[in-house]
Amino acid sequence: MKLKWSDVTPEADYLSRRVFLAAGAASIAGPALGLTGKPSGLSTDEKPNSLEEITNYNNFYEFGTGKTDPAQFSGSLKTSPWSVRIDGMVERPGSYGVEDLAPDAALEERIYRLRCVEAWSMVIPWLGVPLSSVLNKAGPQPGAKYVAFQTLLDPDQMRGQGRGSGIDWPYREGLRLDEAMHPLTILATGLYGQVLPNQNGAPIRLVVPWKYGFKSIKSIVAITLTDKQPPTTWQMLQPSEYGFYANVNPQVDHPRWSQATERRIGAGLLGGREETLMFNGYADQVAGLYSGMDLARHY
């Protein structure tokens, strides 16, 4: 029997994750716990990180600035029921349930590299649907040029949204429409064959594998199509450090982190650093989106 979002309680989800960890789920070859995805030819053949690494080392400032804060403090986030408002320059605006946007039968398995601007990386086996399929359901109008995203605003559930964080909540991100419609861009609702854990952006998040991780906004509640470039959280906070595009580029350093190399999480002390690939290794698929652009200026 397929797992439905309406059947998932935080307690049941937590228990299923602990059982999955206890079973030593280090490979995607085993049976899925409720969710399955059709294999995709867009997946990397690199070995995925373990579920424990993926769920216990991440950035989700809504729950704190530490890498383990999301796992520690996100368990009480209520992710069902959940709806996403799609509005702006679309023919069919409305509020859509996660199960409508990403039904189980439509899920695809996408094993993607993830590169953080802090110069660490992972390989993650997502389950999701192409963002293009969602946008096509809403019907983009001819003048739409950008897609804006917004995360849940709820300081009672998201302790990091309290006073003193220095961030203008809610978290906002955006893409050009052609980036959003690209086949690599997905909305993820699961990983490792199970419902997306809270700390990884449940119940629905964006994944854009050729961009730095902060572009892949989590716990989405609103998607707006517009003809103007939307404001994005990190660009508003530090425009000299974070651009709108945020494409992985080993030739353009962040003021605090060289982007030439990266540290693969789980590689160990002797694992060394790996050379960072242009567009995170997806140049063959996406470089054409930026033809003629100065990527040092449009960073």
Side-chain angles (χ1 to χ4, degrees):
M1 182 176 67
K2 289 186 177 180
L3 185 64
K4 298 180 180 179
W5 284 99
S6 58
D7 296 333
V8 177
T9 64
E11 294 80 11
D13 188 31
Y14 173 81
L15 288 173
S16 71
R17 291 200 300 271
R18 300 314 301 170
V19 169
F20 199 66
L21 282 170
S27 168
I28 59 170
L33 295 183
L35 293 177
T36 58
K38 294 171 287 187
S40 169
L42 298 174
S43 292
T44 177
D45 58 2
E46 295 181 50
K47 179 183 177 181
N49 282 80
S50 70
L51 182 66
E52 185 170 10
E53 290 164 348
I54 294 167
T55 56
N56 286 278
Y57 192 95
N58 51 29
N59 291 321
F60 199 171
Y61 279 25
E62 282 80 352
F63 298 104
T65 58
K67 293 293 186 289
T68 60
D69 285 351
Q72 183 175 357
F73 299 115
S74 67
S76 61
L77 177 65
K78 184 180 179 183
T79 59
S80 178
W82 190 281
S83 61
V84 179
R85 186 183 74 251
I86 302 180
D87 59 14
M89 300 180 71
V90 293
E91 298 296 338
R92 293 173 289 280
S95 184
Y96 297 83
V98 172
E99 63 278 5
D100 300 317
L101 300 180
D104 290 0
L107 294 179
E108 298 180 18
E109 177 187 81
R110 299 288 187 93
I111 306 173
Y112 281 165
R113 290 179 288 271
L114 171 71
R115 175 60 156 77
C116 181
V117 73
E118 297 170 353
W120 56 265
S121 63
M122 289 187 182
V123 176
I124 302 179
W126 303 105
L127 291 173
V129 297
L131 175 58
S132 60
S133 69
V134 171
L135 297 181
N136 284 333
K137 288 179 182 178
Q141 295 177 354
K145 297 179 180 179
Y146 294 91
V147 184
F149 305 86
Q150 184 175 304
T151 293
L152 176 69
L153 177 61
D154 190 338
D156 290 337
Q157 294 192 83
M158 295 175 148
R159 66 196 302 271
Q161 291 179 340
R163 294 180 179 179
S165 68
I167 296 176
D168 180 17
W169 305 108
Y171 195 87
R172 303 172 181 89
E173 261 305 337
L175 297 172
R176 263 184 0 205
L177 183 58
D178 58 348
E179 296 176 317
M181 299 296 282
H182 192 278
L184 284 172
T185 306
I186 65 170
L187 289 176
T189 58
L191 63 83
Y192 262 121
Q194 64 175 308
V195 173
L196 194 64
N198 285 7
Q199 60 263 45
N200 293 95
I204 189 165
R205 64 166 290 165
L206 180 68
V207 179
V208 192
W210 71 92
K211 295 178 179 290
Y212 293 118
F214 66 86
K215 291 294 287 186
S216 293
I217 185 170
K218 304 176 179 75
S219 300
I220 296 170
V221 295
I223 299 174
T224 301
L225 275 73
T226 175
D227 59 355
K228 297 179 176 61
Q229 181 174 303
T232 61
T233 291
W234 286 108
Q235 188 180 29
M236 289 189 294
L237 195 63
Q238 292 287 351
S240 64
E241 298 184 5
Y242 300 93
F244 175 80
Y245 287 96
N247 292 318
V248 175
N249 189 340
Q251 301 173 14
V252 177
D253 288 337
H254 184 279
R256 281 170 283 157
W257 303 289
S258 167
Q259 301 301 330
T261 63
E262 62 199 64
R263 174 176 60 93
R264 178 63 55 84
I265 299 301
L269 295 177
L270 301 179
R273 298 184 71 86
E274 303 177 6
E275 289 189 2
T276 293
L277 301 175
M278 188 66 195
F279 295 113
N280 201 25
Y282 297 96
D284 288 348
Q285 295 101 313
V286 303
L289 295 174
Y290 311 101
S291 178
M293 291 178 60
D294 181 350
L295 299 183
R297 187 163 66 93
H298 299 284
Y299 57 90

